[in-house]
Amino acid sequence: MSEVKFISPETIEQAVDAYSKSSKEGKTKILAGGTDLLVQIRSGISQPDTIIDIKNIKELKEISNDNGSYTIGAAVAGAVLDEEEDFGNNWPGVLEALRLIGSEQIQGRASLGGNLCNASPAGDSVPALIASGATVKLQGPEGERNMPIESFHVGPGKTNLKNGEIVVNFQFPKKQKHSGDAYLRMIPRTEMDIAVVGCAVNVTIENDKCVDARVALGAVAPTALLVEDASKALIGSNFEKEAVEKAALACEAACNPIDDKRGTISYRKKVSKVLFKRALEKAIERAKRG
Amino acid sequence: MNEMDNKWIGKNTIRPDGADKVTGRAEYAADTIMPGMIWGKVLRSPHPHATIKSINTKKAEELDGVFSVATSADCVDFPVDTPVILGIQDIRWMARNVLAKEKVLFHGHPIAAVAARTEEIAEKACELIEVEYDIHPWAIEIDDALKPDAPILHDFIKFDGKPSNIAGTLEHKKGDIEEGFKEADIIIEREFETAAVHQGYLETHACLVSVSPDDRTIIWSSSQGQFMVRAMTSFITGIPQSSIRAIPAEIGGGFGGKTIVYLEPVATILSKKSGRPVKMVMTREEVMRASGPTSGSKSKVKIGAKNNGEITAAQGTFYLQAGAFPGAPIRGAAGCCLAPYDIPNAHTLGYDVVSNRSKVAAYRAPGAPIGAYAVECVLDEVAEALKMCPLEFRLKNAAKEGTKAVHGPTYPVMGYVETLEACLSHPHYKAPLKKLQGRGYASGFWFNAGGESSAQVNITEDGNVVVTTGHPDIGGSRASIANITAELLGIDVNRVSVLIGDTATIGFSNLTGGSRVLFASALVVTESTNQVIDILKDRASKIWNIEKEAIEWENGEARPAGDNAGKFKPLSLVELAEQATPTGGPIGAGHQVNTVGAEGGFATHICDVEVDIELGIARVIRYTAAQDVGKAIHPAYVEGQLQGGVVQGIGWALNEEYIYNKEGKLDNPGFLDYRIPVCSDLPMIDTILVEVPNPQHPQGVRGVGEVPIVPPLSAIANAIYNAIGTRFYSLPMSPPKVLEKISD
């Protein structure tokens, strides 16, 4: 890296303007916490000539709660969201996923928006966001639009963002009564690691019956997945063994992983079932409590 | 010295390097800067195996901001067929590892280096160097290197009369192995594999070198031996040792990996050619790709025992990766593996196998964990077959004073049995286990070493003490030496400063390795301090005008003794220092010697694991390490050595491994995918310091730093078996491997 232009806009419009006018081919990078970007620059994977720091844009740092519907700015750091007590009560799975990213120091910087835009298939917060049913608000030269999280990614490192478009915030649905979410990941160590498999589950229970369910997997395919067959298997069930097993098999079937240094195809498939069951158990427990 | 009276030996005094380290003041090699300094970068091989047809550096040299370029043509030429031995290294290989000559032998092998105004320019210039290769097939794994049609790395290396990748063997024999197995009621034979693992020091290799026009050279670098740096740089550059001053920086971890040079000779050549000081700092990726891990291995071990638990015969064959150049630590594997036991008939054989990997470097008890892993796992199976407690089984066969070891020596006083007894009587041995938890045991041995050491003890004008030694402190030698000096002189430990001298200010001292440093430096410091005490008595005798022999040194002061007792007021160190000039001048003494009498160290470990059988994750939940430490001069440091060794062993056993891709390139050259344990992976490592003093040392010191990495690999494997009934014969026991085997 030699000379880099560093822009620090204070409004979304300025950021979008700078981003859309800048050179193409990944030479301009958005910086929120920078916990992925700086590593990429250091290792030579990314060699930007322009960096747009979005941390000084008010909307991107805001947390708001409109009668139970949360809006979280794209650049809000994990440690900051953790202090927003009620958010963790509503979306413990999303918070625990975000809080798994990196060390304490990293947590002071790493954000949901960064984790989403980095577009790693193993990004921890993404399955949890998908399971929550959150949508993301984007703003570009052609205006605003909203998108479900599960539609955001195209492949490893690739997103559906259009030229000049940035992520503004995440909008969470109002949490249903007796619903609960959870995220679990498999890593060889206990922390400071990258998911070999990640699984998020969000269930709503009425009279012991599952009335709504969303299941998402990470690190088992080119992008994080919403496993609709798993949801179908659960909805209407009493979480009886057969239904859970059917949903677990749906998770395994949804996996389209690779053999790599972090795990084999067969390992990832087996683990996706195990993690699903464990995450489901945790989500049910939370749903029953709230 | 009566140990009950010890005031400083055995006490956890405040470490002299502590304040600097916690406040960030400690100077590591990468912290050093000089006016006019430029930056060096290395061009590395993109191929795992190729002949270098030509190197054209013209375009790099012409780039604006470039000052000098170095290739092997700038190094002293060492013919491949003539050994140039320096310690356990051969400079023929070292020179070619530092800058490739005829061939590149691994992906990441240095080919050339550039010094430029900035690191960025130097990197850009490296890309402009044109290298023509003749690419060859490569061999990464031991099996690939030993195949009949394997690509041969070094044509002149012959085995059985043919070109081979087996660069050497080492063998130990005792008794009659055939007869021994005939006497056995039970024989178990198993094969094992371990992956190559890196030392994982946090500080990457770094140096700053300044060469004057008359070739006078100053090297600041992070190493385990400033004299090693001086000697190797001298060999490779041709600058005489007397013109090189190597200054040891504070070191951020070495574990054996900094006992050889990578950057210093290159920076010296670049500085000499450019006339500027040259700084070089490796990235983590460079460290992982091109600095020594220790060997991966394949081995076969066979052990026979009688029904009464007596081992009658043991046999082990060990193939160890050397990396690109000969020098795998087969002595550690074949020599240490049976050392804890009294076995009448034994045979061990090690093979040194070259392949297209980075050259291995020493790693904490090099080779010993590999040998012990195989032997201790088989012993566990034999004990199980005999329905004996694994510790009682080891106790029955334990080596003692007078036992003739398989690797040669007859043991003097040693404390292996005591480590077993300490484990048997420890609460951990009987602690209950839950479902899917298991307990494993293993023992281990390391030779330990003595070797050359120099010390100088000077009394300052104000009556305090400065001790200078020549070994970089990587395990607490400064604090320990301060304890010993203060004890001998009878003064407060805070009045003693211990420094590590550079190559111009202290006599030759062998590098920090082999667990030698405290053993060796305590010997020379003790001798120097005793000489100083003698001088102090002499000064008092002059002041009092009585015979020196009639004076005692006690509690930090000279006292008249015998007939003169009580006749004069004692003279303190401060008072004698004040009168140093009129009584004869500066007070100080030095000693330098090749120390002998280092005795081996033994350990026995107890490990508990819990296995998540759905995910294949084994976690260590409790660990106790008992070790004969001779005498713990600074117990907290000794405990830290034991804990550190165990932690590295846990990493080796569970997750660490060099993973190569299909192109023969390392696929995990960073700490994300090369998984050393993090704090939350580990329980508190409990230690039992067994003290059986080394009779050949004034303070009873034995080396302690390496033994603790020897038992964990097998202790963990045995514990996993105890937990889930599945034996693993291949490391690391990482989750995918564990789950696959359980699912089968």
Side-chain angles (χ1 to χ4, degrees):
Chain A
M1 184 171 63
S2 41
E3 303 265 306
V4 177
K5 191 173 163 194
F6 191 88
I7 308 169
S8 191
E10 289 182 3
T11 67
I12 299 175
E13 289 70 26
Q14 285 168 359
V16 168
D17 189 49
Y19 197 27
S20 52
K21 280 183 187 156
S22 60
S23 60
K24 304 266 167 61
E25 290 159 30
K27 282 289 183 190
T28 298
K29 289 285 180 187
I30 301 283
L31 175 123
T35 58
D36 279 313
L37 181 62
L38 263 64
V39 176
Q40 288 162 4
I41 291 171
R42 280 257 177 157
S43 66
I45 293 169
S46 182
Q47 293 170 321
D49 58 20
T50 307
I51 291 174
I52 303 173
D53 178 4
I54 55 168
K55 273 194 307 297
N56 296 316
I57 303 171
K58 196 164 154 275
E59 291 92 322
L60 272 70
K61 299 285 279 182
E62 270 177 351
I63 301 173
S64 67
N65 178 357
D66 178 14
N67 195 25
S69 296
Y70 273 93
T71 302
I72 308 295
V76 172
V80 174
L81 195 56
D82 193 38
E83 286 176 4
E84 188 72 20
E85 198 184 322
D86 216 36
F87 181 81
N89 291 335
N90 280 268
W91 299 105
V94 173
L95 187 62
E96 71 196 352
L98 177 60
R99 296 286 281 158
L100 282 175
I101 300 168
S103 60
E104 269 314 292
Q105 291 91 326
I106 296 292
Q107 280 292 310
R109 314 269 307 183
S111 61
L112 286 174
N115 201 224
L116 187 75
C117 293
N118 189 49
S120 159
D124 282 304
S125 70
V126 181
L129 287 168
I130 291 173
S132 75
T135 60
V136 63
K137 181 169 127 183
L138 314 173
Q139 190 164 333
E142 288 156 32
E144 277 181 30
R145 58 180 180 137
N146 283 286
M147 190 186 278
I149 306 295
E150 56 270 28
S151 307
F152 188 81
H153 293 120
V154 181
K158 294 201 173 70
T159 70
N160 272 319
L161 283 171
K162 290 181 188 160
N163 187 34
E165 217 168 25
I166 63 169
V167 174
V168 177
N169 57 36
F170 296 85
Q171 294 165 348
F172 290 81
K174 190 170 156 51
K175 183 189 174 298
Q176 298 301 305
K177 207 174 173 200
H178 296 304
S179 70
D181 72 335
Y183 174 75
L184 289 175
R185 67 174 180 178
M186 158 53 209
I187 52 171
R189 292 186 290 206
T190 45
E191 60 179 14
M192 300 294 291
D193 215 326
I194 184 165
V196 180
V197 179
C199 182
V201 177
N202 177 21
V203 290
T204 308
I205 304 174
E206 255 179 48
N207 302 324
D208 291 334
K209 263 207 163 11
C210 176
V211 294
D212 196 7
R214 285 172 71 84
V215 177
L217 290 170
V220 295
T223 67
L225 303 171
L226 174 66
V227 187
E228 294 187 52
D229 287 345
S231 310
K232 280 182 202 154
L234 292 176
I235 293 169
S237 78
N238 296 315
F239 302 111
E240 65 274 11
K241 212 174 165 193
E242 294 71 28
V244 172
E245 196 57 40
K246 200 174 165 195
L249 288 171
C251 287
E252 188 183 24
C255 292
N256 179 22
I258 51 168
D259 269 328
D260 70 0
K261 59 196 170 189
R262 291 171 189 152
T264 57
I265 291 171
S266 77
Y267 183 75
R268 288 188 157 108
K269 287 190 161 197
K270 280 178 206 159
V271 168
S272 69
K273 284 198 291 186
V274 177
L275 283 193
F276 160 72
K277 288 181 189 172
R278 291 184 185 182
L280 175 66
E281 207 170 303
K282 212 168 163 185
I284 291 171
E285 192 195 307
R286 285 172 176 168
K288 284 181 177 164
R289 264 191 274 136
Chain B
M1 192 178 301
N2 182 348
E3 105 172 44
M4 297 301 288
D5 299 335
N6 280 347
K7 201 164 173 197
W8 303 110
I9 289 177
K11 299 294 185 304
N12 291 327
T13 50
I14 290 176
R15 50 194 284 179
D17 52 330
D20 277 356
K21 282 182 178 164
V22 297
T23 56
R25 282 182 177 83
E27 270 199 25
Y28 295 88
D31 294 328
T32 318
I33 50 169
M34 267 187 96
M37 182 181 91
I38 56 175
W39 289 84
K41 274 286 171 192
V42 173
L43 172 69
R44 295 178 184 277
S45 171
H47 307 295
H49 193 192
T51 298
I52 301 171
K53 290 164 77 179
S54 68
I55 304 176
N56 185 346
T57 60
K58 192 162 176 288
K59 285 181 188 161
E61 282 161 31
E62 285 168 359
L63 185 70
D64 188 37
V66 169
F67 286 81
S68 57
V69 178
T71 66
S72 64
D74 299 299
C75 300
V76 174
D77 181 25
F78 296 99
V80 284
D81 50 4
T82 313
V84 186
I85 301 301
L86 180 74
I88 59 166
Q89 300 295 336
D90 187 326
I91 296 295
R92 276 182 299 171
W93 313 137
M94 196 55 61
R96 283 169 175 80
N97 195 47
V98 162
L99 284 169
K101 201 171 169 70
E102 300 86 358
K103 275 173 139 186
V104 288
L105 292 158
F106 60 94
H107 175 254
H109 195 161
I111 299 163
V114 176
R117 201 172 57 238
T118 66
E119 274 185 290
E120 290 75 24
I121 297 171
E123 263 169 22
K124 206 172 278 177
C126 282
E127 288 167 20
L128 296 175
I129 296 173
E130 294 162 344
V131 187
E132 255 191 295
Y133 298 100
D134 184 7
I135 297 167
H136 308 306
W138 61 87
I140 301 289
E141 304 303 335
I142 290 170
D143 285 345
D144 299 332
L146 297 183
K147 275 195 287 205
D149 58 344
I152 298 296
L153 273 74
H154 306 280
D155 293 328
F156 56 93
I157 292 178
K158 304 269 196 307
F159 188 77
D160 275 348
K162 286 179 294 218
S164 171
N165 291 321
I166 295 178
T169 59
L170 182 141
E171 202 167 11
H172 294 293
K173 281 181 176 168
K174 184 185 168 189
D176 184 333
I177 192 77
E178 305 289 326
E179 283 303 312
F181 281 118
K182 274 185 205 162
E183 288 171 32
D185 295 313
I186 173 172
I187 296 172
I188 289 178
E189 182 173 20
R190 298 284 181 260
E191 290 183 31
F192 298 86
E193 279 181 3
T194 68
V197 294
H198 197 271
Q199 296 83 349
Y201 33 82
L202 292 183
E203 180 200 28
T204 66
H205 297 270
C207 69
L208 171 61
V209 180
S210 177
V211 185
S212 302
D214 61 357
D215 277 3
R216 293 199 176 270
T217 302
I218 304 181
I219 302 171
W220 289 266
S221 76
S222 168
S223 81
Q224 288 175 240
Q226 63 275 45
F227 292 91
M228 173 280 296
V229 168
R230 181 178 76 173
M232 288 192 179
T233 304
S234 170
F235 268 106
I236 293 169
T237 63
I239 298 171
Q241 289 192 19
S242 54
S243 291
I244 299 174
R245 183 175 170 202
I247 300 172
E250 202 62 63
I251 178 168
F255 312 107
K258 291 177 182 167
T259 55
I260 56 175
V261 292
Y262 296 97
L263 300 176
E264 290 91 338
V266 180
T268 301
I269 293 165
L270 290 171
S271 176
K272 186 177 169 174
K273 288 178 89 172
S274 64
R276 298 278 205 118
V278 174
K279 181 164 177 170
M280 299 182 82
V281 180
M282 277 198 204
T283 62
R284 176 67 52 198
E285 184 175 339
E286 287 179 296
V287 169
M288 298 302 285
R289 288 198 192 286
S291 76
T294 193
S295 315
S297 71
K298 282 178 75 80
S299 53
K300 187 189 266 190
V301 163
K302 181 177 171 184
I303 292 174
K306 290 185 186 169
N307 285 331
N308 67 3
E310 214 175 287
I311 299 174
T312 59
Q315 187 167 33
T317 310
F318 306 95
Y319 292 87
L320 269 67
Q321 294 161 354
F325 299 100
I330 46 179
R331 179 173 164 262
C336 294
C337 64
L338 299 174
Y341 308 105
D342 185 357
I343 302 176
N345 308 293
H347 178 211
T348 62
L349 173 60
Y351 290 92
D352 182 3
V353 183
V354 294
S355 67
N356 297 107
R357 297 167 163 263
S358 50
K359 171 182 160 48
V360 300
Y363 179 21
R364 211 166 190 156
I370 291 169
Y373 163 58
V375 165
E376 298 289 318
C377 285
V378 174
L379 286 177
D380 200 62
E381 290 198 48
V382 175
E384 188 193 23
L386 295 172
K387 300 190 170 57
M388 282 182 79
C389 155
L391 289 180
E392 297 286 358
F393 175 55
R394 284 173 174 82
L395 198 54
K396 189 168 177 74
N397 294 286
K400 300 175 189 69
E401 185 180 356
T403 300
K404 171 107 172 96
V406 174
H407 66 283
T410 300
Y411 291 128
V413 177
M414 47 89 111
Y416 174 51
V417 165
E418 286 81 349
T419 67
L420 290 166
E421 287 167 344
C423 287
L424 281 164
S425 60
H426 193 274
H428 187 173
Y429 176 66
K430 288 192 175 140
L433 290 164
K434 294 182 187 145
K435 207 179 154 216
L436 298 177
Q437 295 180 348
R439 181 162 299 146
Y441 309 90
S443 294
F445 168 82
W446 177 249
F447 307 112
N448 292 328
E452 301 88 342
S453 193
S454 303
Q456 175 71 31
V457 176
N458 288 330
I459 306 301
T460 58
E461 296 98 297
D462 61 358
N464 292 311
V465 186
V466 175
V467 182
T468 309
T469 67
H471 314 279
D473 175 6
I474 63 173
S477 55
R478 279 172 293 192
S480 304
I481 289 166
N483 284 5
I484 289 170
T485 310
E487 192 74 54
L488 292 169
L489 281 169
I491 59 170
D492 190 285
V493 75
N494 294 311
R495 290 173 60 193
V496 182
S497 260
V498 184
L499 307 174
I500 312 302
D502 64 58
T503 56
T505 57
I506 188 72
F508 174 67
S509 300
N510 210 322
L511 52 79
T512 298
S515 296
R516 68 158 53 89
V517 168
L518 189 59
F519 170 83
S521 49
L523 272 170
V524 288
V525 167
T526 299
E527 175 57 30
S528 305
T529 307
N530 285 337
Q531 286 179 28
V532 165
I533 291 171
D534 202 53
I535 295 168
L536 290 165
K537 288 198 241 175
D538 186 55
R539 301 301 170 89
S541 86
K542 283 181 177 152
I543 294 167
W544 291 330
N545 202 18
I546 61 172
E547 291 293 310
K548 189 172 79 179
E549 288 67 32
I551 296 170
E552 283 175 352
W553 185 265
E554 217 182 305
N555 213 13
E557 54 187 29
R559 291 175 184 174
D563 296 347
N564 296 304
K567 283 190 187 165
F568 305 99
K569 188 171 166 283
L571 285 165
S572 70
L573 183 57
V574 171
E575 288 163 328
L576 287 165
E578 276 171 359
Q579 299 193 53
T581 300
T583 57
I587 301 169
H591 190 62
Q592 43 200 61
V593 73
N594 181 34
T595 64
V596 293
E599 292 302 337
F602 294 86
T604 302
H605 292 185
I606 313 177
C607 168
D608 290 357
V609 299
E610 183 171 280
V611 183
D612 181 331
I613 53 168
E614 290 183 322
L615 299 178
I617 300 173
R619 297 236 188 271
V620 176
I621 53 170
R622 186 170 182 184
Y623 206 103
T624 304
Q627 185 175 320
D628 173 15
V629 300
K631 173 70 196 163
I633 303 298
H634 191 291
Y637 257 122
V638 173
E639 202 173 33
Q641 286 294 316
L642 269 54
Q643 292 167 326
V646 169
V647 169
Q648 289 188 308
I650 290 173
W652 195 337
L654 294 180
N655 279 308
E656 293 182 37
E657 63 178 318
Y658 262 44
I659 303 169
Y660 279 81
N661 66 17
K662 288 185 184 118
E663 283 81 48
K665 299 170 187 174
L666 182 65
D667 206 18
N668 57 338
F671 282 152
L672 179 58
D673 286 304
Y674 181 87
R675 292 185 168 82
I676 61 176
V678 295
C679 287
S680 54
D681 294 343
L682 302 163
M684 180 66 186
I685 312 293
D686 290 318
T687 61
I688 309 171
L689 306 185
V690 174
E691 293 188 313
V692 179
N694 177 357
Q696 305 195 65
H697 192 273
Q699 287 83 28
V701 167
R702 292 176 197 270
V704 299
E706 292 173 283
V707 188
I709 199 176
V710 181
L713 317 189
S714 39
I716 295 165
N718 293 340
I720 292 175
Y721 170 72
N722 187 243
I724 61 170
T726 305
R727 291 209 184 260
F728 289 87
Y729 299 105
S730 168
L731 300 186
M733 295 174 284
S734 56
K737 266 162 85 174
V738 170
L739 191 65
E740 194 180 340
K741 188 150 183 179
I742 298 174
S743 307
D744 286 350

